[in-house]
Amino acid sequence: HFLRVGFTPDGGWRTFSLRKDFHPAAKIQAEDDITASIVVPAARLRYLSGIDTIHQASSYSCRWVKGRTGGTLSEHGKGRALDIAQITLNNGKKIIVKKKAFWKFREKGLLQSVRSDGCDYFTTVLGPGYDADHKDHFHFDIKERRSGYRSCR
């Protein structure tokens, strides 16, 4: 696998070798699923608005689960995970992914929909309220589990 990113000074493609277990098509598909199937319908229902931008917090990053060296390689390290920190609507409203105050009904509803609808497409969906590491973003991944278990928290 190779990734083409920009050009070299002589005009040729700048290419990078990718890890054998990196799945760029899975990452692109994940971005499309999050946008078209999860966030857009939730935003239209609650704000009567489309999506301008989905702000990623992280995608491919070679790291361990919970930062524990020598533990399990994170799905981010395999190119099979995506984190989202903010959603900007077409009407300019910015929705930051974090636990919302009691009276923020529409924002809470949108974030709850993104989390629950995400479970239809991804095997892991973690977000605010799950743990301190996910207090300010959603984590979506397509981790393969033998049992078919889905972790949606």
Side-chain angles (χ1 to χ4, degrees):
H1 293 93
F2 289 91
L3 178 65
R4 295 186 307 191
V5 180
F7 298 97
T8 61
D10 64 355
W13 280 104
R14 180 175 290 137
T15 60
F16 297 91
S17 177
L18 301 175
R19 294 166 39 120
K20 290 181 182 175
D21 60 352
F22 179 71
H23 304 282
K27 181 190 171 305
I28 292 166
Q29 184 62 48
E31 291 173 357
D32 290 347
D33 287 345
I34 290 169
T35 304
S37 304
I38 300 167
V39 180
V40 170
R44 284 192 179 139
L45 176 67
R46 287 175 177 76
Y47 288 95
L48 304 176
S49 178
I51 300 298
D52 178 63
T53 309
I54 294 178
H55 303 268
Q56 288 185 22
S58 179
S59 59
Y60 175 73
S61 174
C62 191
R63 63 182 187 230
W64 305 101
V65 173
K66 301 257 185 201
R68 295 183 187 127
T69 303
T72 305
L73 184 64
S74 166
E75 291 301 297
H76 288 283
K78 299 173 186 174
R80 298 164 49 103
L82 187 65
D83 292 345
I84 295 192
Q86 180 177 304
I87 301 163
T88 303
L89 304 178
N90 283 339
N91 65 15
K93 172 87 174 152
K94 294 179 192 285
I95 300 168
I96 296 170
V97 178
K98 67 178 184 176
K99 201 165 186 176
K100 298 297 178 184
F102 175 74
W103 60 89
K104 298 272 189 172
F105 298 109
R106 285 202 295 179
E107 288 186 26
K108 281 171 62 173
L110 182 129
L111 296 177
Q112 287 170 349
S113 290
V114 169
R115 181 192 314 254
S116 63
D117 293 350
C119 294
D120 292 338
Y121 298 89
F122 299 93
T123 56
T124 308
V125 179
L126 307 174
Y130 172 63
D131 66 8
D133 292 334
H134 297 91
K135 70 178 182 279
D136 59 358
H137 68 277
F138 281 120
H139 166 92
F140 300 94
D141 76 42
I142 52 173
K143 181 177 183 172
E144 294 177 12
R145 297 178 176 94
R146 278 181 247 149
S147 65
Y149 175 73
R150 291 167 132 24
S151 180
C152 298
R153 304 176 184 174

